[in-house]
Amino acid sequence: MYPDYLAETLKAVERTRPARLELAMSGQPVYPPMNADERKDVLSKYHPDFAAGAKRPVRVGPNRGEDITTEVADMLEAHSMIEPKLMDIHLREPDYETDLLIIGGGGAGCWASIMAMRNGVKSLIATKLRMGDANTMMSEGGMQAAVSKTDSPTRHYLDAIGGGHFENIPELVRVLTEDAPDVVRDLENLGVIWDKMDDGAMQVLHGGGTSRKRMVSCRDLIGATIMRTLMDEVKNHPDMISVREFEPAVELILDENGHCAGAVLYSLDTEQFLTVKAKSTIITTGGFGRLHIRGFATTNHYGATGDGLVIGYRAGAQLKFMDSVQYHPTGAVFPEQIAGFLITEKIRGAGGQPLNKFGELFVFPREPRDIESAAIIRECSADRNNGVDTFVGRTGVWLDSPLIDMIHGDGYTRHQFPGMCRQFDRFGIDIVKQPMLVYPSLHYQNGGIGINERCETNIPGLYVAGEASGGVHGRNRLMGNSVLDYNVFGRRAGQYASEYAKSAKIVGKLNVDHVAAHAAELERENITTDLVSPLILPSYTPDDVKIQQMARLGNIPARHSMLRSRLASS
Amino acid sequence: MESDKQASQEGGKRQRVQANMVKVFIMGKPHVVPEHATIMRAIEHAGHQIIRGAGCREGFCGACATIYRLPGDFKLYTGLACTTLVKEGMSLTMIPSVPMEKTVYDLEKLKPNVNTILEVYPVTFRCVACGTCTKACPQKLPVMDYIQAAMRGDIAAVADMSFDCVACGLCALRCPAELIQHEVGILCKRLTGRYLRKESKELDDRLTEVRSRQYDAEYAELMEMDTSVLSKLYYGRDIEP
Ligand SMILES: Cc1cc2nc3c(=O)[nH]c(=O)nc-3n(C[C@H](O)[C@H](O)[C@H](O)COP(=O)(O)OP(=O)(O)OC[C@H]3O[C@@H](n4cnc5c(N)ncnc54)[C@H](O)[C@@H]3O)c2cc1C
Ligand code: FES
C-alpha cells in the first residue's frame, strides 16, 4: 500500500492517464525520441559514468594508463589472496584434473559444459555459490532474436550496434545476431517453454532500442526458465560434467609457455585453496553489480563481484570498455525492502510509461538504457526537481503499469508479469491498478575481458563468455542482448575451448608467477592498499560490527576475512 | 539501514533516516534489527556473513529457505529470507542446503505422459493429498494440485502451475510422503517445452535462411560501413509500432 503522502501525485498520474492512453493507442510515439545531439547532452550531464571521479587511469597490468571505472580499478590494484610460494606442492600435485575448466556456473558456464559434452570433452564447473546462483537466474524480460517475418538478423545487428554507439566489435555483433535463431531452437529442444502465439509463432515484443518487435520471453521469468533447464541438463551428465559448488576461483594458473592451465579455487566451506589443472579454461563469472559502483543499489545476484576480471587481468588478459557501467532505468524505489530490484523493461515494452510527480511523460519510454536512465536522473535532479520523494530518503519517478491492461486487455499483466505482480502483491500494491516507483539501479557490466568470435582472449587456452567478456555491446548493452550473449557465446566458448583441449599440451611446471609479478608491480608503483581481490562476496555488516571484527591481528586468511571489504555497501 | 548512510543524490538517495527496531531470535539468539529489514538483511545486520543461504537476494533462486515461528502462535512458518520481512519476536533459522536426489534422465528418450512420471519420480505416487506442500510454498503455488496433475499425466498443467517455482525445496522438506515436488515441476516443464509446443514455421524459415548464409552479403556491407554512414542508417531506420 502506498502511504498517504503519495496520494496527491498518484492522483496526478490517474488524471493524465486517459490522454496518455489515447496517444498510446494511436500508434504514434508517446513522446518524441531523442536525436543524436539530445542523447549526447543528457548522457554527458547526467549519466553517472560522466560524473567526477567515476573513472581513473589504472596503474598496473595490461591496460595500464587507461581509464577504468574507479571501483574496478581499485580491485585490479588490490592484493592477491594467495601467497605464491605456499602453493608449490599443490601446483605439483593438483587437487583436480580435467580437460576443460569452467569458472562460473551461470548461463554461459552451463552452456559451455553442455557444448563440451556434445563435443566429447569432459569438463569441471567450479562456481562460487550454488549452480545457478547467478544473474542468469534473475533475468525477467526476455531475449532478442530476429525470428519474426518483418525482422532480420542484420536489422538486429544495426539496432545493437547503434545502441552501443557504434563502438561494439562488429565480428562479435554479427555472431550474436546471426546465432540467435538457432539459440531459440536449441533451447526449445532442451525444454524451454517460449511464449507463443496461437499459431505457434514466437511471441515478440519491443525492448529499448529495438526497431522491430524482437523480444522473445518465458512470461517474465526467462532467466529462471532457461537456467533451470540448463542446470537440469548439466546434472543429467554426471559422467561428463563435474560440478564444484562454493569453490570460487581466486587466481588462474599458467604453464611455462604462459598458456592458461587451470585455476586456484578457494573453498568457502573449509577455507582451503585447491588447484585445478586443465587443458583449457573458460571464465564465465558474470558481472560486477555487487561492487555497488557510485553507491548505487544493484539488481545483481550476491556473487556478482567481477572476479573474472581480476583473475584474468592478473594473468595478463586485456580488458575492453571497462570505463562504462549500465544502470537499468527502472529499479524499484518503494517499498524500501525491494529497493534496487529490477522492474523489467518489458513493462515499458508492453506500454508502461515513466512519469514525473505531475504525472507527465518526460522521455520516450523505450530509449536505449543509458539514455533512459540519464533522463530519469535528470528529471529527479536538483535541475528539474520533478522526482517523487519517499519518506525513507529515496527519489524516483512513476512507471505507469495500469496502462498495460488497458492496452492489451484485462488479465494481460497478471499472466505476462507474474513475478513482477508477486513482488508487489507482497506489499499490498497491485501493479495492475497502481503504478510503481522507480529509479535507475546498477545493472550490467558493459565491458569485460576482450574476446574474439571464438571467445579466445590474448592468453592461449583462456576463453571468456557472457557478462564477463567485453566488446559485444560496446559501452551500452540493449535489453535482451545479454541473455542472448551468454547463450551465443557460452555455446561458442564450449565449442572452441573443448576443441582446443583435445590437442593442447601443458608445457613444464604449473605456476602462479604472475601473482608474484603483480605484487612486485604494486610495490614498484608505490600502491598501498588493504584491499584483497577478487572480492568474492560483498559485506553488508554494519560498520560498528565490522570494526569489532577487524580487530583480528593482520590479514590472516581466517574465516571470511577477505570478505570484510572496506567497500561501502548499499 | 546501512545503505542510507551514504546519501548520494545521483544514487537516488535523499537523506539519512533512522529506522524503528524490532527484536528477533536468529538461531535462538536475540538481536535488535531494523523493522523494515528482510530476514536476510536482519541476519547481516547482526554481523553474519551469509555463505550458504543467499543467491539472487530477490526471490528467484530459492537459496534462502527459512523456517520461523512467531510469538504466541503454534505454527511453523516457511519463507524466503530475501523477501520475508522480520516481525517482533520472530524466531528463525535458515536452511543451508536441502538434501535430495535428482534423477538422471535422457529427455530425448522420454514421452510427455504419466509413465514418465512413474519411471523418473515414482515417489510422486505416494502423495496423500494432505496439502502441506501448498501451505509451505513461499511462492503460494498450488503445489499439491500440480502433483495431482502429474499423477494424472497432465504434463502441461504441471508446467503451468509450477512455472514460478524457485526450487527452494521447502515443499519437499515438509512433505510427509517424502516427495520431491519441485523436481517433478522441472521435469514437466522440460517435457512441455520439448514435446508439447506448437512449432513455429517462421522460426524454421529463419533458420533455413541463416543456414543457407543468406545474410552474408548484408552483413559484409554493414560491417564495412563507415560510422557516419552507419549512424545515418541507424537514426533513419523505421520503427515498427
Ligand atoms: C535482475 C536481472 C534481470 C535481467 N534481465 C535481463 C533481460 O531481461 N534480458 C537480458 O538480455 N538480460 C538481462 N539481464 C542480464 C543477464 O541476465 C546477464 O547478463 C546474464 O545472465 C549473464 O550471464 P553469465 O552466464 O555471463 O553470468 P551469470 O549468470 O551471472 O553467472 C556467473 C556465475 O559465475 C559465478 N562466479 C562469480 N565469480 C566466480 C568465481 N570467482 N569463481 C567461480 N564462479 C564465480 C557466479 O556466482 C555465477 O554463478 C538481467 C540481469 C539481472 C541481474
Ligand atoms: S536469495 Fe534467491 S530466492 Fe532468496
Side-chain angles (χ1 to χ4, degrees):
Chain A
M1 228 131 60
Y2 285 113
D4 291 343
Y5 68 84
L6 293 175
E8 201 176 317
T9 165
L10 276 166
K11 269 202 203 103
V13 171
E14 278 171 23
R15 213 166 30 238
T16 57
R17 193 177 287 140
R20 289 182 287 107
L21 176 65
E22 197 175 322
L23 191 57
M25 300 301 280
S26 75
Q28 298 296 310
V30 293
Y31 196 88
M34 289 187 213
N35 61 32
D37 289 340
E38 289 166 332
R39 281 186 177 188
K40 210 176 270 163
D41 182 66
V42 72
L43 278 184
S44 64
K45 290 196 187 129
Y46 296 98
H47 195 281
D49 278 355
F50 297 92
K55 36 195 150 180
R56 68 169 175 87
V58 62
R59 293 171 287 176
V60 299
N63 291 64
R64 197 180 149 176
E66 287 175 34
D67 269 356
I68 294 216
T69 301
T70 303
E71 289 79 355
V72 177
D74 291 346
M75 283 290 128
L76 299 178
E77 293 173 358
H79 300 289
S80 171
M81 270 179 83
I82 59 166
E83 170 56 69
K85 279 197 229 95
L86 300 180
M87 294 302 302
D88 269 1
I89 311 169
H90 292 277
L91 290 169
R92 258 180 276 134
E93 288 167 34
D95 296 282
Y96 316 121
E97 275 199 60
T98 179
D99 291 330
L100 171 61
L101 169 65
I102 297 165
I103 304 174
C110 285
W111 253 131
S113 70
I114 292 169
M115 287 308 274
M117 180 264 296
R118 288 181 185 170
N119 204 8
V121 170
K122 287 191 180 172
S123 62
L124 181 146
I125 301 178
T127 195
K128 181 185 297 186
L129 300 164
R130 304 175 312 163
M131 285 276 286
D133 289 348
N135 282 357
T136 296
M137 187 63 93
M138 309 168 74
S139 55
E140 301 167 9
M143 174 175 94
Q144 288 200 39
V147 292
S148 74
K149 274 202 199 82
T150 55
D151 202 358
S152 78
T154 44
R155 231 177 201 290
H156 186 177
Y157 176 97
L158 186 63
D159 286 350
I161 216 153
H165 311 303
F166 310 99
E167 294 178 319
N168 330 34
I169 295 172
E171 290 72 20
L172 298 180
V173 186
R174 173 171 183 172
V175 296
L176 177 82
T177 53
E178 204 173 17
D179 282 5
D182 195 49
V183 161
V184 172
R185 179 48 54 82
D186 209 352
L187 285 172
E188 181 164 72
N189 285 342
L190 284 173
V192 166
I193 307 172
W194 295 117
D195 290 335
K196 294 204 165 181
M197 310 302 285
D198 288 340
D199 64 354
M202 299 288 296
Q203 179 192 295
V204 284
L205 281 175
H206 267 305
T210 54
S211 67
R212 287 288 179 276
K213 292 185 179 164
R214 186 184 298 134
M215 204 66 61
V216 301
S217 53
C218 313
R219 302 190 191 169
D220 66 349
L221 290 170
I222 187 170
T225 309
I226 297 181
M227 190 72 241
R228 292 196 191 286
T229 304
L230 294 178
M231 268 159 66
D232 192 63
E233 187 60 17
V234 165
K235 291 181 194 159
N236 275 345
H237 301 277
D239 45 335
M240 293 298 287
I241 308 172
S242 34
V243 177
R244 303 294 310 175
E245 295 183 328
F246 297 95
E247 288 182 6
V250 295
E251 293 298 349
L252 294 177
I253 294 172
L254 303 179
D255 75 359
E256 284 183 0
N257 281 349
H259 294 197
C260 190
V264 178
L265 312 181
Y266 176 69
S267 163
L268 292 178
D269 294 320
T270 61
E271 301 186 60
Q272 282 169 287
F273 291 98
L274 304 160
T275 48
V276 192
K277 179 179 181 181
K279 292 181 183 144
S280 62
T281 301
I282 311 179
I283 291 180
T284 51
T285 50
F288 66 7
R290 293 279 158 191
L291 296 183
H292 293 294
I293 289 157
R294 300 195 70 69
F296 270 79
T298 186
T299 60
N300 285 194
H301 86 286
Y302 190 33
T305 50
D307 298 359
L309 300 175
V310 173
I311 62 176
Y313 194 72
R314 245 175 231 158
Q318 281 276 350
L319 303 183
K320 285 220 168 84
F321 301 113
M322 280 311 298
D323 57 351
S324 98
V325 177
Q326 179 164 92
Y327 297 86
H328 194 287
T330 56
V333 167
F334 188 92
E336 185 63 15
Q337 297 84 354
I338 59 166
F341 287 22
L342 183 77
I343 311 299
T344 172
E345 188 164 313
K346 230 173 106 187
I347 294 274
R348 280 174 291 134
Q353 299 174 349
L355 310 171
N356 63 22
K357 67 178 171 194
F358 305 113
E360 298 162 345
L361 272 155
F362 55 90
V363 63
F364 179 64
R366 289 186 283 104
E367 294 285 4
R369 286 193 170 157
D370 50 353
I371 314 281
E372 190 87 14
S373 290
I376 293 174
I377 293 174
R378 174 172 68 189
E379 200 64 17
C380 297
S381 73
D383 296 347
R384 293 204 176 168
N385 223 348
N386 287 342
V388 180
D389 293 346
T390 75
F391 277 15
V392 295
R394 291 182 190 270
T395 185
V397 298
W398 293 114
L399 180 60
D400 200 19
S401 45
L403 280 174
I404 298 173
D405 267 21
M406 299 178 181
I407 294 170
H408 299 274
D410 285 351
Y412 185 88
T413 309
R414 289 222 162 251
H415 187 260
Q416 286 294 320
F417 301 99
M420 221 72 273
C421 291
R422 173 172 298 109
Q423 198 73 273
F424 281 86
D425 283 345
R426 280 194 183 104
F427 305 103
I429 296 170
D430 179 358
I431 64 168
V432 179
K433 302 216 173 71
Q434 289 193 303
M436 295 169 261
L437 202 54
V438 299
Y439 193 80
S441 181
L442 174 52
H443 188 53
Y444 187 75
Q445 174 183 304
N446 288 317
I449 300 175
I451 54 165
N452 63 15
E453 65 273 27
R454 299 162 60 89
C455 299
E456 293 161 340
T457 65
N458 57 324
I459 301 176
L462 180 66
Y463 296 73
V464 183
E467 194 167 341
S469 74
V472 182
H473 312 286
R475 286 189 170 78
N476 182 52
R477 188 259 308 179
L478 295 184
M479 177 200 176
N481 275 348
S482 53
V483 167
L484 181 58
D485 177 342
Y486 80 72
N487 280 291
V488 165
F489 292 97
R491 293 199 317 168
R492 286 180 163 256
Q495 176 70 33
Y496 294 115
S498 61
E499 210 53 59
Y500 177 92
K502 282 182 182 170
S503 58
K505 293 246 159 13
I506 293 172
V507 178
K509 282 197 213 133
L510 300 189
N511 70 78
V512 287
D513 294 351
H514 59 283
V515 175
H518 169 75
E521 201 179 359
L522 289 182
E523 206 164 313
R524 212 167 42 239
E525 295 295 323
N526 282 321
I527 296 171
T528 47
T529 171
D530 58 358
L531 283 178
V532 173
S533 66
L535 185 61
I536 303 187
L537 293 173
S539 161
Y540 296 112
T541 310
D543 283 349
D544 49 338
V545 180
K546 219 183 236 182
I547 288 163
Q548 290 173 302
Q549 292 171 331
M550 301 280 256
R552 189 203 328 273
L553 183 67
N555 183 29
I556 307 159
R559 191 153 194 87
H560 319 155
S561 58
M562 83 296 178
L563 308 172
R564 304 232 159 79
S565 68
R566 289 182 302 116
L567 282 185
S569 46
S570 183
Chain B
M1 282 207 286
E2 60 268 33
S3 61
D4 303 328
K5 285 188 190 137
Q6 356 123 14
S8 105
Q9 215 207 18
E10 178 191 82
K13 291 166 205 152
R14 282 286 152 96
Q15 81 226 29
R16 202 169 144 179
V17 231
Q18 207 55 50
N20 293 330
M21 308 299 270
V22 293
K23 185 156 92 179
V24 298
F25 297 83
I26 300 170
M27 292 178 281
K29 196 165 156 183
H31 288 278
V32 177
V33 301
E35 130 195 279
H36 61 244
T38 57
I39 290 175
M40 184 170 283
R41 294 300 287 245
I43 292 172
E44 291 172 336
H45 187 91
H48 293 267
Q49 175 82 46
I50 300 175
I51 300 279
R52 287 177 183 267
C56 66
R57 304 177 66 101
E58 295 189 16
F60 292 94
C61 76
C64 61
T66 302
I67 49 175
Y68 62 91
R69 289 188 193 269
L70 296 169
D73 185 344
F74 64 90
K75 279 191 187 137
L76 179 70
Y77 291 93
T78 51
L80 298 175
C82 65
T83 52
T84 308
L85 299 186
V86 290
K87 285 202 183 95
E88 178 65 36
M90 181 186 254
S91 177
L92 61 97
T93 284
M94 289 185 77
I95 297 167
S97 150
V98 178
M100 69 189 47
E101 203 177 347
K102 180 202 118 62
T103 306
V104 168
Y105 59 83
D106 181 351
L107 187 67
E108 292 305 310
K109 296 209 175 100
L110 300 181
K111 292 204 171 61
N113 60 30
V114 71
N115 289 334
T116 294
I117 308 289
L118 261 170
E119 197 182 303
V120 182
Y121 291 115
V123 60
T124 308
F125 295 83
R126 284 171 46 114
C127 176
V128 293
C130 67
T132 307
C133 49
T134 299
K135 259 189 249 160
C137 181
Q139 294 287 85
K140 299 198 166 61
L141 301 180
V143 186
M144 186 189 85
D145 297 351
Y146 82 61
I147 290 300
Q148 294 292 317
M151 291 164 72
R152 292 192 307 270
D154 190 348
I155 306 296
V158 182
D160 186 51
M161 285 188 268
S162 66
F163 201 84
D164 299 15
C165 170
V166 296
C168 62
L170 282 165
C171 51
L173 285 179
R174 296 289 279 147
C175 177
E178 288 135 326
L179 273 68
I180 33 178
Q181 289 85 342
H182 56 289
E183 290 293 352
V184 176
I186 290 167
L187 170 66
C188 291
K189 277 180 263 188
R190 292 192 66 186
L191 288 168
T192 302
R194 174 72 185 86
Y195 295 107
L196 302 175
R197 66 181 190 232
K198 280 192 185 145
E199 295 297 338
S200 163
K201 192 174 157 328
E202 282 178 2
L203 179 57
D204 290 339
D205 294 347
R206 181 57 38 81
L207 282 168
T208 315
E209 289 168 16
V210 171
R211 283 174 191 152
S212 61
R213 314 226 53 91
Q214 209 170 302
Y215 295 100
D216 281 9
E218 268 178 55
Y219 270 119
E221 198 187 337
L222 283 167
M223 287 167 73
E224 257 158 40
M225 228 175 245
D226 199 79
T227 304
S228 61
V229 187
L230 199 59
S231 171
K232 220 177 255 149
L233 195 64
Y234 174 73
Y235 284 104
R237 76 208 194 288
D238 67 310
I239 297 184
E240 178 178 22

